Amino acid sequence: MKTSGLITHFIYKFTQKRAQNIFIYTNIMARGFIDCHCHLSANEFTQAGVKALVAVTEGASEFEKVIQLSKTYPGFVFPCFGIHPLQGSGQDLHSVKIQDLEPFLPLFQKYRADIIAVGEIGLDFTPWFANTTQEHDEQIKVFIKQLEISKELDLPVNVHSRSAAKVTIATMKELGIRQALLHNFAGKPSVAMEGVQAGFCFSFPPAVSKNEQRAKLIRQIPLEHICLETDSPALGIDKHVRNEPGNIMICCEYIAKVKGISSDVVMEVTTQNALRLFSKLKS
């Protein structure tokens, strides 16, 4: 996902049950869902059934904000740092350059104990944003640098890939990446299986429940390589309505329907997948 400005917000106001909800959320090993990819900027919230939010960034201006959210809601919001392959907003949206990353490299080290993954990083070769070889090469340079950071910090990566699935997976494999989540993946099943063979996981937001092509992909990817995400506040069922982490159940039920299994099985397996992938969630 690419949004403008701050880490975009999604959520609800606290109710009188706040204390009860926070108790449930902070018990990370409790039964429930893990939203493996969302974008946040809320001061207060509740999400029934969601026990952890993996909060990604798109630009360096969001790094400190997501850290503060994680400290305000410990055990519920888990921060990632990453520079998205597209930067800016609106008419100023442009393909990332290494200069967008370099000044903020020290923050990865400063907060290495706090972040649970490097992301949202990746490649976006959408023609109207990045249509030249130079832009593609620069994106790959930024991507590789952040993959190297993930290896140095021994952290998984939370990856965006649009119109670049094969190059994205090939680049990660070449660098020896073992722990990766490809969020909202829309590549060919054959390319996805290359990722599965490399040990990568894939996640799908609520919007895919209206996409039969994505159903074919979900059928082919083993459940042991699938996680749940909302990509809040975008990619909900209705593109005109703000998506929220509470919609994680929609993803779960759709995957269950496509695979012909129960939603309880999907919840249990995808939660264990998330805990295995993002090992810091357990601590």
Side-chain angles (χ1 to χ4, degrees):
M1 176 203 163
K2 184 74 189 76
T3 60
S4 60
L6 304 177
I7 318 169
T8 5
H9 75 95
F10 57 90
I11 325 195
Y12 309 115
K13 294 181 178 179
F14 270 115
T15 68
Q16 293 177 347
K17 295 184 179 179
R18 174 185 176 187
Q20 176 186 355
N21 288 332
I22 291 298
F23 175 79
I24 292 171
Y25 297 147
T26 54
N27 182 3
I28 191 63
M29 296 308 291
R31 177 182 174 86
F33 299 103
I34 296 176
D35 187 343
C36 287
H37 188 105
C38 59
H39 301 254
L40 312 177
S41 69
N43 294 323
E44 47 188 24
F45 48 79
T46 58
Q47 289 297 321
V50 181
K51 70 181 183 179
L53 302 177
V54 177
V56 298
T57 66
E58 296 176 336
S61 64
E62 301 171 352
F63 285 9
E64 300 279 358
K65 295 180 180 71
V66 78
I67 289 293
Q68 289 307 310
L69 278 170
S70 71
K71 293 186 181 302
T72 302
Y73 305 105
F76 182 42
V77 175
F78 295 86
C80 308
F81 280 3
I83 301 293
H84 191 281
L86 299 181
Q87 293 293 294
S89 62
Q91 294 183 342
D92 295 326
L93 197 62
H94 63 272
S95 186
V96 71
K97 297 178 173 58
I98 196 67
Q99 293 92 328
D100 295 314
L101 170 66
E102 285 180 337
F104 305 100
L105 292 176
L107 292 179
F108 287 90
Q109 293 293 339
K110 179 180 178 180
Y111 292 109
R112 63 185 299 163
D114 298 287
I115 59 177
I116 71 162
V118 174
E120 178 174 0
I121 66 175
L123 301 174
D124 193 317
F125 293 169
T126 307
W128 47 91
F129 294 127
N131 61 359
T132 68
T133 299
Q134 181 179 353
E135 288 171 322
H136 292 182
D137 290 347
E138 192 77 5
Q139 279 196 22
I140 291 171
K141 186 187 300 184
V142 174
F143 185 36
I144 288 175
K145 181 60 180 177
Q146 293 184 99
L147 292 175
E148 289 173 344
I149 291 170
S150 77
K151 293 181 68 175
E152 180 183 350
L153 301 181
D154 193 23
L155 292 174
V157 287
N158 207 319
V159 178
H160 170 104
S161 169
R162 185 181 294 147
S163 301
K166 194 171 185 65
V167 179
T168 300
I169 289 177
T171 302
M172 290 194 292
K173 289 173 66 176
E174 287 171 12
L175 266 73
I177 299 299
R178 295 288 180 263
Q179 297 289 92
L181 176 72
L182 288 117
H183 102 95
N184 188 29
F185 189 78
K188 295 179 180 179
S190 59
V191 177
M193 293 312 294
E194 292 178 19
V196 167
Q197 291 168 7
F200 303 156
C201 287
F202 299 79
S203 59
F204 304 94
V208 304
S209 63
K210 294 186 175 182
N211 188 321
E212 179 55 34
Q213 198 65 31
R214 211 68 68 88
K216 295 178 182 177
L217 185 61
I218 292 170
R219 286 190 194 99
Q220 188 155 341
I221 297 174
L223 186 59
E224 291 72 24
H225 289 266
I226 292 178
C227 292
L228 302 181
E229 68 155 294
T230 61
D231 202 20
S232 306
L235 299 185
I237 292 295
D238 186 340
K239 65 180 180 180
H240 302 295
V241 178
R242 185 183 65 190
N243 189 20
E244 299 174 345
N247 291 330
I248 198 80
M249 188 64 187
I250 296 172
C251 312
C252 178
E253 291 178 342
Y254 181 67
I255 291 169
K257 178 182 177 182
V258 168
K259 287 191 168 292
I261 56 180
S262 75
S263 57
D264 277 351
V265 168
V266 173
M267 180 185 71
E268 296 289 351
V269 175
T270 57
T271 295
Q272 290 306 311
N273 294 344
L275 292 170
R276 184 178 65 251
L277 176 60
F278 302 107
S279 59
K280 280 191 172 184
L281 287 173
K282 299 174 184 177
S283 60

